[in-house]
Amino acid sequence: MHRTAVSEIRRTGVNCSYVKRIVLGILAWSAVAHADAPAQLTLEPGALFVQLDLELNMAKGAVAKPFSIAPDASYGVMKDLTLSLIHSTFGTTGFRGGTGDGLCVTGTSNGCAHLYNNVGGEALYSLAEGDAPIAAVLGLYSLNLDQSFVDLKVGLKTKFTAGAFALLFNPSIYFGLNDRAAMTPNVDQLYLPVGLTYKISQPLTVGVGSGIKGPANDFTKFGKAWSVPLGVNAVVTINPAIAVGAAFTFGKLVGAPALSDATPSQTGEDFRAIHVWLNYTQL
């Protein structure tokens, strides 16, 4: 097809290298655009995806307290089904900005609830493909190993693509399966993260993330302790197998009076974090 187009230019007498470059450029652009079109959110059978998150607290007066290393791993079992082992804040909730999950290396005196905290297993099942793929999420987590909490996760992953833009909305709810009446109860949690990304060039994508999160016991307590994060991020795709990313996030920029009236304040620009991550995909 490419040779035919160039031969036609020559046959008609338009023997111009500039026109030739334009034609080849359009064909190359079309191929790249087609390759970037999202197919589905699950992995191909036999594919492996690993993400290593470094989560660094940057809150005022508590820099690097804590610092945690949180690996996630996913495997494509079949075309529509992917299984994952999750530790990271982002993998768990869809939000950036949290710290202390996975392997928390700074100790209990420097912000770690436990040396190893937060682990879960998820199944991701594809419901729709194309430019608006949707997948259902079902998982079992221990969000707090120190208190032996066990939670059931139910949610969705979505990605709506239009040209260089992509809108992500990954709602989920965690149902506490034990210790619901304990002194520190294992309450239900609702997470509604939303993200917007823009592909500046083939290797570079930038984005912004926000949403709302909070406890949702009987859907009546959400208004008493909700919070809204806000962050920016960038991802550089080095090759089809490797990508690196970074995010700066205000983890609780605004929140309900039950949080913001506390002393010291539990919301505002003083609560911030940096996440850096490395992705590896083996197809």
Side-chain angles (χ1 to χ4, degrees), residues 128-151:
E129 302 177 5
D131 288 340
I134 302 174
V137 180
L138 184 65
L140 190 66
Y141 275 78
S142 180
L143 300 178
N144 190 323
L145 287 173
D146 192 39
Q147 301 214 11
S148 302
F149 285 174
V150 179
D151 295 80

Side-chain angles (χ1 to χ4, degrees), residues 226 254-268:
W226 57 266
V254 295
L259 293 178
S260 56
D261 289 347
T263 304
S265 176
Q266 295 185 36
T267 60

Side-chain angles (χ1 to χ4, degrees), residues 197-229:
T197 66
Y198 178 74
K199 184 182 286 292
I200 294 179
S201 62
Q202 189 58 25
L204 178 61
T205 299
V206 297
V208 60
S210 188
I212 188 168
K213 56 186 177 179
N217 273 8
D218 301 321
F219 298 98
T220 59
K221 296 183 179 180
F222 190 65
K224 297 181 180 180
W226 57 266
S227 61
V228 175

Side-chain angles (χ1 to χ4, degrees), residues 67-111:
F67 170 67
S68 52
I69 303 169
D72 299 336
S74 302
Y75 180 76
V77 178
M78 57 183 68
K79 182 178 183 295
D80 293 329
L81 178 64
T82 294
L83 298 181
S84 301
L85 178 67
I86 304 294
H87 294 93
S88 72
T89 302
F90 180 74
T92 302
T93 68
F95 286 100
R96 295 283 177 191
T99 57
D101 289 337
L103 184 63
C104 197
V105 299
T106 51
T108 55
S109 60
N110 289 306

